[in-house]
């Protein structure tokens, strides 16, 4: 025992910090088209290799290759490109509005636009998304009104949520978008419960849920997977691994020697690890998981491997915890550019149409922001005070009546 070395406390560290060269040397990026595609109805025991691969469809030249090619129509891919561009244009405009003091808070989706857009377009209208705050491309893909988004962000008198939520925490039932929470992971249990209820009612509606990679360390994640596995819930559970949970890198959630998709194995679920910057790969994996759920084969866990290219929010400075130029070295590229390149390659897009679309979307977003500003921005227009007392109880009790009287509402 005298020669036994002392125990050492281990704390994972990211590959590089500010002032050091950006490095993604730890990431192995396989060629597109190499991962096998098993039958969607196969036993999970037959696909335990998949969580350690990376499903990719688009190669470096923009060609769709391999068994996971979903063979989407050009029209659907153009709709996907439009949704991603609309998301990015909207993000840029509303981020500037925050810097101008017109709203209190904002979060951009830069680099992650393919995820929500692809899944919104390949799932059905009756399916319900339980989102995180970087899934706005889902709403853009389903043409949620820009003015409603703007008014919610400005929390003005026309805010569809009546000032009851932080900016960008949307809720849009008619668009398959469950009420957003700033606490990631909490919606996982809601999604599984919603899916179980759908099966109990013998309807045909699936649930899809997101959490960030950091949230996989929370109890909500593991409890949800247990229920999803035991009750074979028709739910698609997605982990958006964008490498950073605020300022904590993904390794702190316990995946330096494995993958987030591999956590499915312990629950007896199939796990897929997907290139989250590849619109076609995201669509294909989602279609596969949906086919499985609709056939009463239960849940699938999908790790969407991507990168948060900008700060966590308007309150964050990413240069304090990662190299300033790290985003430029991300090996899986820009999801918008990759889909654009593919559409050009197959003769369904060109530079002029791309520029025209950006100009059109920019004009639409500018018009919506001007319309929202005319109603009011931060502190200049608010929902009526009485709104805070509505929707609490079906019939107000004496306490609510007294509080409302004291507030003069």
């Amino acid at each position: 025992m005298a020669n036994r070395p002392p125990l050492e406390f281990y704390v994972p560290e990211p590959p590089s910090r500010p002032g050091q060269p950006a490095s993604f040397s730890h990431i192995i990026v396989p060629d597109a088209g190499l991962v096998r595609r098993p039958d969607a109805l196969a036993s999970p025991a037959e696909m335990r290799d998949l969580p350690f691969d990376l499903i990719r469809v688009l190669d470096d030249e923009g060609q769709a290759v391999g068994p996971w090619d979903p063979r989407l129509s050009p029209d659907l891919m153009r709709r996907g490109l439009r949704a991603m561009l609309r998301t990015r244009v909207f993000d840029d405009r509303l981020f500037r509005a925050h810097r101008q003091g017109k709203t209190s808070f904002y979060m951009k989706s830069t680099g992650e636009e393919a995820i929500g857009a692809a899944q919104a377009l390949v799932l059905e209208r009756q399916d319900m998304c339980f989102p995180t705050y970087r899934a706005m491309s889902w709403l853009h893909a389903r043409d949620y009104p820009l003015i409603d988004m703007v008014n919610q962000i400005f929390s003005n008198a026309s805010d569809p949520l009546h000032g009851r939520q932080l900016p960008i925490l949307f809720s849009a039932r008619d668009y398959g978008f469950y009420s957003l929470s700033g606490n990631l992971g909490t919606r996982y249990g809601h999604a599984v419960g919603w899916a179980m209820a759908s099966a109990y009612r013998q309807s045909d509606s699936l649930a899809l849920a997101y959490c960030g990679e950091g949230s996989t360390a929370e109890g909500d994640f593991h409890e949800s997977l247990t229920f999803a596995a035991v009750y074979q819930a028709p739910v698609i559970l997605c982990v958006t691994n964008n490498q950073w949970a605020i300022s904590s890198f993904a390794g702190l959630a316990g995946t330096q020697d494995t993958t987030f998709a591999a956590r499915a194995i312990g629950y007896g679920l199939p796990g897929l690890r997907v290139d989250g910057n590849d619109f076609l790969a995201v669509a294909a994996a989602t279609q596969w998981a949906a086919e499985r759920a609709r056939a009463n084969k239960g849940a699938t866990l999908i790790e969407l491997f991507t990168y948060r290219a900008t700060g966590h929010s308007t309150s964050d400075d990413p240069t304090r915890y990662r190299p300033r130029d790290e985003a430029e070295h991300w090996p899986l590229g820009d999801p918008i550019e990759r889909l654009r390149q593919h559409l050009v390659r197959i003769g369904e897009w060109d530079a002029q149409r791309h520029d025209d679309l950006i100009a059109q979307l920019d004009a639409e977003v500018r018009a919506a922001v001007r319309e929202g500003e005319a109603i009011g921005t931060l502190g200049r227009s608010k929902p009526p005070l009485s709104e805070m007392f509505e929707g609490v109880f079906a019939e107000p009790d004496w306490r609510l009546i007294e509080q409302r009287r004291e507030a003069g509402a």
Side-chain angles (χ1 to χ4, degrees), residues 143-166:
D143 290 320
Y144 185 70
L146 289 173
I147 184 57
D148 288 346
M149 297 181 82
V150 169
N151 287 336
Q152 195 279 332
I153 291 165
F154 287 160
S155 300
N156 61 26
S158 294
D159 175 2
L161 302 186
H162 310 293
R164 296 172 181 169
Q165 273 278 35
L166 277 169

Side-chain angles (χ1 to χ4, degrees), residues 299-377:
T300 300
L301 180 67
I302 301 178
E303 176 185 348
L304 298 159
F305 197 70
T306 183
Y307 180 78
R308 169 168 58 79
T310 58
H312 180 262
S313 73
T314 47
S315 302
D316 178 44
D317 178 6
T319 64
R320 300 191 61 155
Y321 53 82
R322 68 190 193 189
R324 185 178 297 273
D325 64 343
E326 187 179 79
E328 299 171 18
H329 297 273
W330 174 243
L332 295 178
D334 183 325
I336 293 177
E337 175 57 26
R338 290 177 66 186
L339 183 58
R340 183 205 66 79
Q341 182 187 30
H342 174 65
L343 284 166
V344 170
R345 182 184 179 89
I346 63 175
E348 295 290 344
W349 201 243
D350 57 57
Q352 186 59 57
R353 293 169 76 181
H354 195 78
D355 291 344
D356 290 347
L357 178 58
I358 292 175
Q360 174 194 336
L361 294 171
D362 184 65
E364 291 174 1
V365 170
R366 284 174 179 269
V369 170
R370 284 197 297 270
E371 185 178 347
E373 288 176 339
I375 298 166
T377 59

Side-chain angles (χ1 to χ4, degrees), residues 13-347:
E13 278 291 326
S16 51
R17 286 292 192 184
Q20 299 174 335
S23 173
F24 289 107
S25 58
H26 60 291
I27 295 177
I28 299 173
V29 180
D31 291 338
L34 296 183
V35 179
R36 69 185 185 91
R37 185 186 186 279
D39 189 309
L41 308 187
S43 166
E46 300 175 31
M47 53 185 86
R48 289 178 178 164
D49 56 313
L50 292 183
F52 303 99
D53 282 319
L54 185 65
I55 297 169
R56 305 182 70 222
V57 174
L58 291 172
D59 65 16
D60 294 341
E61 284 71 48
Q63 182 176 353
V65 296
W68 284 94
D69 179 3
R71 304 187 185 282
L72 302 177
S73 69
D75 179 63
L76 191 144
M77 288 189 285
R78 282 190 291 265
R79 288 168 60 197
L81 182 64
R82 179 182 181 276
M84 289 195 288
L85 282 169
R86 189 188 196 215
T87 304
R88 191 165 292 183
V89 169
F90 187 88
D91 274 355
D92 289 345
R93 179 62 53 185
L94 271 296
F95 184 88
R96 289 199 292 273
H98 170 270
R99 294 304 196 230
Q100 294 165 352
K102 296 175 181 177
T103 185
S104 61
F105 184 73
Y106 197 77
M107 304 179 85
K108 300 176 76 173
S109 306
T110 311
E112 302 178 39
E113 296 94 344
I115 295 170
Q119 295 186 316
L121 291 172
V122 300
L123 289 178
E124 298 179 6
R125 298 298 295 191
Q126 76 274 14
D127 299 331
M128 182 63 71
C129 170
F130 291 74
T132 60
Y133 36 63
R134 262 177 264 280
M136 271 199 284
S137 58
W138 175 288
L139 290 174
H140 289 294
R142 295 198 168 187
D143 290 320
Y144 185 70
L146 289 173
I147 184 57
D148 288 346
M149 297 181 82
V150 169
N151 287 336
Q152 195 279 332
I153 291 165
F154 287 160
S155 300
N156 61 26
S158 294
D159 175 2
L161 302 186
H162 310 293
R164 296 172 181 169
Q165 273 278 35
L166 277 169
I168 67 93
L169 299 188
F170 302 106
S171 179
R173 181 193 297 264
D174 293 341
Y175 294 80
F177 199 84
Y178 192 81
S179 178
L180 237 165
S181 171
N183 298 313
L184 298 193
T186 59
R187 294 303 187 247
Y188 246 48
H190 296 186
V192 174
W194 194 94
M196 289 168 60
S198 178
Y200 183 80
R201 293 193 308 267
Q202 295 188 314
S203 71
D204 62 349
S205 301
L206 309 182
L208 177 141
Y210 298 106
C211 75
E213 81 281 347
S215 307
T216 63
E218 297 178 4
D220 301 82
F221 175 82
H222 299 280
E223 292 155 6
S224 301
L225 263 67
T226 297
F227 272 78
V230 169
Y231 295 100
Q232 297 184 359
V235 61
I236 303 170
L237 298 169
C238 299
V239 177
T240 305
N241 178 8
N242 64 15
Q243 315 305 310
W244 290 95
I246 307 184
S247 58
S248 300
F249 88 113
L252 287 172
T255 56
Q256 283 190 308
D257 297 313
T258 185
T259 69
F260 291 102
R263 299 190 177 183
I265 297 174
Y267 294 93
L269 296 174
L272 304 178
R273 187 165 172 261
V274 180
D275 179 348
N277 288 29
D278 181 340
F279 181 90
L280 299 187
V282 175
T286 305
Q287 288 175 326
W288 186 94
E291 179 184 350
R292 185 176 182 84
R294 295 192 204 280
N296 291 307
K297 293 294 184 178
T300 300
L301 180 67
I302 301 178
E303 176 185 348
L304 298 159
F305 197 70
T306 183
Y307 180 78
R308 169 168 58 79
T310 58
H312 180 262
S313 73
T314 47
S315 302
D316 178 44
D317 178 6
T319 64
R320 300 191 61 155
Y321 53 82
R322 68 190 193 189
R324 185 178 297 273
D325 64 343
E326 187 179 79
E328 299 171 18
H329 297 273
W330 174 243
L332 295 178
D334 183 325
I336 293 177
E337 175 57 26
R338 290 177 66 186
L339 183 58
R340 183 205 66 79
Q341 182 187 30
H342 174 65
L343 284 166
V344 170
R345 182 184 179 89
I346 63 175

